[in-house]
Amino acid sequence: MNEQVTSRPDSAAPGAPTTDVLLTAEVFDGEQGCIAQARALADRFLSRLVAEWLAVLGEHTRSDLMLAVSELITNADRYSHGPYMLELEGNAQRISVTVYDSSTALPVLYSPDPARLGGHGMEIVVALCDRVTAERVPVGKRIRAEFELSS
């Protein structure tokens, strides 16, 4: 497992804003079970964020974040040609879910259409998150979904 974690330093002044974050990342190769593994990584990350950073998760934050992870990993698995990486970053104020994959094709956001088969992944992610960005990067593309937390 390629996992990387950064924890809050003990020297942070109480109540002072910090740029330090809890960070974890894992690379997936598209093998069966990757989506479940990504969701498990996100669940462990949220548990640590609550326990160590005293983050307050709203009533639907955990389920919304898990669904966003599922949709973003599913898209990376379906549309990229190679491994992809899930990166989770957060503190007591916000969480970001970032997926890097090898495809340079940016996602298409279709107009809502309940009769359309498929193509709803990014529509779901946009509806769940406070901010979504997609951009090309040297390895392909990066899609970041951000969640603002209660304080």
Side-chain angles (χ1 to χ4, degrees), residues 18-50:
T18 178
T19 57
D20 295 320
V21 295
L22 179 65
L23 174 68
T24 188
E26 188 168 336
V27 174
F28 298 95
D29 57 8
E31 291 295 319
Q32 189 169 4
C34 283
I35 296 166
Q37 292 171 3
R39 289 173 58 88
L41 179 69
D43 189 54
R44 290 190 308 272
F45 175 81
L46 288 175
S47 295
R48 284 195 61 201
L49 199 60
V50 168

Side-chain angles (χ1 to χ4, degrees), residues 13-147:
T18 178
T19 57
D20 295 320
V21 295
L22 179 65
L23 174 68
T24 188
E26 188 168 336
V27 174
F28 298 95
D29 57 8
E31 291 295 319
Q32 189 169 4
C34 283
I35 296 166
Q37 292 171 3
R39 289 173 58 88
L41 179 69
D43 189 54
R44 290 190 308 272
F45 175 81
L46 288 175
S47 295
R48 284 195 61 201
L49 199 60
V50 168
E52 297 173 21
W53 289 70
L54 306 177
V56 177
L57 302 182
E59 182 180 347
H60 300 286
T61 304
R62 184 177 293 269
S63 59
D64 288 354
L65 188 131
M66 295 300 214
L67 183 52
V69 165
S70 294
E71 292 297 335
L72 292 172
I73 291 295
T74 297
N75 284 351
D77 190 57
R78 182 172 291 154
Y79 300 113
S80 71
H81 305 288
Y84 42 90
M85 183 174 77
L86 169 64
E87 179 182 87
L88 300 154
E89 182 179 314
N91 57 30
Q93 291 79 37
R94 69 189 51 85
I95 300 171
S96 67
V97 175
T98 306
V99 175
Y100 296 84
D101 70 45
S102 60
S103 171
T104 58
L106 295 176
V108 175
L109 182 59
Y110 298 103
S111 299
D113 179 0
R116 184 181 64 247
L117 296 177
H120 296 282
M122 287 307 296
E123 180 183 340
I124 291 168
V125 172
V126 167
L128 295 172
C129 303
D130 294 296
R131 182 172 184 237
V132 178
T133 58
E135 62 185 333
R136 289 182 182 92
V137 294
V139 297
K141 73 173 165 292
R142 170 178 54 211
I143 301 175
R144 176 174 289 138
E146 298 176 12
F147 295 82

